């Protein structure tokens, strides 16, 4: 409650804590609603009604960079296990009008002790006062908002007669992508899975998950290599976890006419082979930031080195004169009718999705508001009145 002079008469501050079980009750796994929500986010981005970190307002987040070595005893070092901590703040306008931040720590060695690689938490704050509104478990939230974007891509850009879906990197994010895509494309009857091997634990777990949850899928294929996985696929979505430089390679001749290729993490394809393909992105400014930070060079033959990020590669293709900036289409332009989506059944479309904290804010807001209405979670007090004021 605010006085006419702008001061607050209610100094009590509390927030809603939502653990993972609470988040499930609050609908965090509702793939169809998540797809609609990220569609709203993309529209607001296209209208400029958002803020992310950095001076250009498009930073993905701020990461702690661990050193390779240190003379300080027990100092945490960088290693091949993906040790990192990252803060991802954002403001999202429209009906959300909300600030938030996702914070996470990650270490590939976690799996050996029964923990997921990354452990994430999400906070929402009132834009006007800065008061914390909610603090919630973020693993399912993050994976579902990430998977929702491939679902949006399938909704807007896949052929209407799509029947064959390929999953490259069958981990948590691919499972979320599967949920979202299947909520939009009801005629999928064949799913191809490309893991590290046809008998890898993740590939087998994905197959069992599909069998249990999608009885309409009559054919599940565990693929030996990328060529087998990509050929004849109508929709391809990837979320591969791998070391830098070991990104899976795609070849133009493996893609059927009309294929939709969605990349959420790693991608490697010869730049000159994709010049004429339609390219759809979520946020060009974010990829420009990536390119400025990485500043990758060229190999001994004068070819630009790959980055593993499809959208960043597109930026380098613009810089190298292979394509024009206007040839890239954003989701927002498609949703707002500024540019067309799919223009023919034979058109091959590449989609780059990197995930943004604005999406976390939106999906967290949806779960938070549902939890408030349905009395889910635990209210925790910060203070009744601040000690120092």
């Amino acid at each position: 409650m605010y006085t006419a002079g702008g001061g607050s008469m209610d100094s009590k501050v509390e927030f809603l804590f939502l653990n993972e079980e609470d988040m499930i009750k609050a609908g965090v796994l509702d793939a169809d609603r998540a797809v609609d929500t990220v569609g709203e986010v993309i529209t607001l981005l296209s209208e400029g009604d958002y803020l992310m970190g950095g001076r250009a307002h498009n930073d993905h987040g701020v990461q702690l960079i661990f050193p390779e070595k240190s003379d300080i005893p027990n100092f945490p070092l960088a290693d091949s296990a993906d040790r990192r901590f990252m803060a991802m703040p954002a403001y999202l306008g429209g009906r959300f009008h909300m600030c938030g931040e996702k914070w996470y720590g990650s270490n590939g060695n976690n799996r050996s002790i029964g923990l997921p690689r990354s452990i994430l938490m999400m906070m929402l704050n009132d834009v006007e006062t800065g008061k914390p509104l909610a603090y919630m478990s973020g693993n399912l939230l993050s994976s579902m908002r990430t998977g929702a974007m491939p679902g949006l891509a399938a909704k807007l850009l896949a052929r209407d007669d799509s029947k064959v879906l390929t999953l490259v990197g069958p981990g948590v994010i691919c499972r979320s992508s599967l949920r979202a895509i299947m909520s939009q494309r009801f005629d999928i009857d064949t799913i191809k899975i490309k893991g590290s091997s046809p008998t890898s634990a993740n590939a087998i777990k994905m197959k069992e998950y599909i069998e249990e949850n999608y009885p309409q899928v009559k054919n599940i294929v565990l693929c030996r290599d990328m060529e087998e996985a990509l050929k004849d696929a109508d929709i391809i979505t990837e979320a591969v976890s791998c070391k830098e430089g070991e990104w899976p390679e795609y070849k133009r001749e493996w893609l059927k006419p009309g294929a939709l290729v969605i990349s959420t993490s790693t991608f490697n394809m010869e730049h000159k082979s994709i010049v004429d393909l339609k390219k759809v992105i979520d946020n060009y400014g974010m990829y420009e930031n990536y390119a400025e930070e990485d500043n990758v060079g060229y190999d001994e033959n004068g070819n630009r080195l790959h980055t593993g990020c499809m959208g960043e590669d597109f930026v380098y293709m613009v810089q190298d004169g292979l394509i024009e900036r206007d040839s890239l289409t954003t989701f927002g332009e498609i949703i707002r009718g500024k540019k067309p989506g799919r223009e023919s059944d034979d058109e091959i479309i590449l989609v780059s999705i990197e995930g943004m904290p604005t999406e976390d804010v939106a999906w967290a807001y949806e779960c938070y508001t549902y939890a408030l209405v349905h009395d889910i979670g635990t209210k925790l007090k910060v203070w009744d009145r601040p000690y120092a004021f």
Side-chain angles (χ1 to χ4, degrees):
M1 179 177 177
Y2 291 89
T3 66
S8 174
M9 295 176 60
D10 184 4
S11 59
K12 183 177 181 178
V13 172
E14 62 182 13
F15 62 89
L16 186 66
F17 174 69
L18 298 169
N19 62 31
E20 187 168 82
E21 292 177 357
D22 295 330
M23 292 295 287
I24 293 172
K25 293 176 184 177
V28 71
L29 297 178
D30 187 337
D32 189 36
R33 188 158 65 100
V35 170
D36 289 341
T37 301
V38 296
E40 288 187 70
V41 174
I42 291 299
T43 302
L44 291 169
L45 260 66
S46 183
E47 295 170 349
D49 196 2
Y50 78 101
L51 290 173
M52 285 161 52
R55 293 184 179 277
H57 312 308
N58 277 312
D59 282 3
H60 184 73
V62 180
Q63 181 175 328
L64 286 180
I65 307 297
F66 289 95
E68 297 292 334
K69 58 183 179 179
S70 173
D71 295 330
I72 301 173
N74 299 319
F75 199 89
L77 303 178
D79 54 31
S80 60
D82 189 30
R83 183 203 299 272
R84 56 191 160 120
F85 287 86
M86 194 164 190
M88 299 171 63
Y91 162 76
L92 186 64
R95 69 178 178 88
F96 304 97
H97 189 56
M98 185 68 56
C99 276
E101 179 182 52
K102 183 170 73 178
W103 167 256
Y104 70 90
S106 179
N107 193 322
N109 292 326
N110 283 354
R111 295 187 180 97
S112 65
I113 57 174
L115 292 173
R117 184 192 68 179
S118 299
I119 299 175
L120 306 96
M121 298 300 294
M122 182 74 195
M123 174 170 275
L124 294 177
N125 294 80
D126 181 86
V127 174
E128 307 303 328
T129 65
K131 290 195 303 184
L133 301 175
Y135 188 59
M136 62 189 72
S137 173
N139 280 52
L140 292 178
L141 178 129
S142 185
S143 65
M144 287 304 296
R145 68 81 160 150
T146 304
M149 285 299 294
L152 182 66
K155 176 182 179 179
L156 297 175
L157 298 169
R159 286 175 50 135
D160 289 335
D161 60 353
S162 295
K163 295 183 181 299
V164 181
L165 169 65
T166 288
L167 307 175
V168 181
V172 173
I173 299 302
C174 244
R175 180 175 296 190
S176 298
S177 299
L178 168 69
R179 294 173 69 107
I181 291 169
M182 296 299 281
S183 78
Q184 307 299 314
R185 292 295 172 183
F186 309 113
D187 295 329
I188 299 293
D189 61 17
T190 299
I191 296 181
K192 305 167 92 174
I193 302 170
K194 174 62 179 76
S196 57
S197 76
T199 58
S200 69
N202 279 350
I204 298 300
K205 284 171 61 177
M206 183 67 80
K207 179 177 183 294
E208 292 172 347
Y209 178 80
I210 294 167
E211 290 171 337
E212 181 179 351
N213 292 278
Y214 300 102
Q216 71 270 36
V217 176
K218 305 305 179 185
N219 305 299
I220 303 175
V221 183
L222 299 174
C223 300
R224 298 180 306 274
D225 53 38
M226 286 294 289
E227 181 176 3
E228 181 185 9
L230 301 186
K231 280 195 170 181
D232 301 320
D234 298 301
I235 303 171
I236 300 157
T237 188
E238 72 80 24
V240 175
S241 178
C242 64
K243 295 179 181 178
E244 185 175 351
E246 296 182 1
W247 309 297
E249 183 178 8
Y250 294 64
K251 291 188 177 181
R252 173 72 175 266
E253 58 266 28
W254 297 343
L255 302 177
K256 67 179 287 188
L260 173 66
V261 182
I262 308 165
S263 175
T264 66
S265 57
T266 57
F267 182 78
N268 182 1
M269 197 166 180
E270 174 57 43
H271 290 181
K272 292 180 181 178
S273 73
I274 60 175
V275 167
D276 62 320
L277 301 185
K278 174 168 283 184
K279 303 166 190 66
V280 178
I281 55 176
D282 45 7
N283 184 345
Y284 187 77
M286 181 172 65
Y287 298 123
E288 283 187 309
N289 285 353
Y290 286 2
E292 183 177 351
E293 290 176 4
D294 294 339
N295 192 29
V296 302
Y298 302 84
D299 63 20
E300 63 276 9
N301 298 317
N303 298 313
R304 178 77 76 164
L305 296 171
H306 291 282
T307 67
C309 172
M310 183 189 283
E312 186 175 353
D313 279 358
F314 292 166
V315 172
Y316 289 127
M317 291 175 70
V318 171
Q319 293 179 0
D320 293 342
L322 292 176
I323 59 174
E324 297 293 329
R325 166 66 183 88
D326 288 345
S327 70
L328 300 175
T329 301
T330 66
F331 277 101
E333 289 172 323
I334 295 171
I335 293 172
R336 297 172 67 199
K338 303 294 184 181
K339 285 187 177 182
R342 176 171 291 278
E343 296 180 84
S344 76
D345 282 346
D346 289 340
E347 187 175 37
I348 296 174
I349 303 177
L350 303 181
V351 178
S352 181
I353 298 165
E354 274 291 300
M356 294 173 284
T358 47
E359 296 159 359
D360 293 296
V361 170
W363 195 224
Y365 175 84
E366 291 294 281
C367 295
Y368 165 64
T369 53
Y370 185 96
L372 285 179
V373 171
H374 294 87
D375 195 26
I376 299 168
T378 304
K379 288 187 177 180
L380 299 176
K381 183 176 70 175
V382 178
W383 61 59
D384 287 315
R385 295 186 64 185
Y387 179 81
F389 180 69

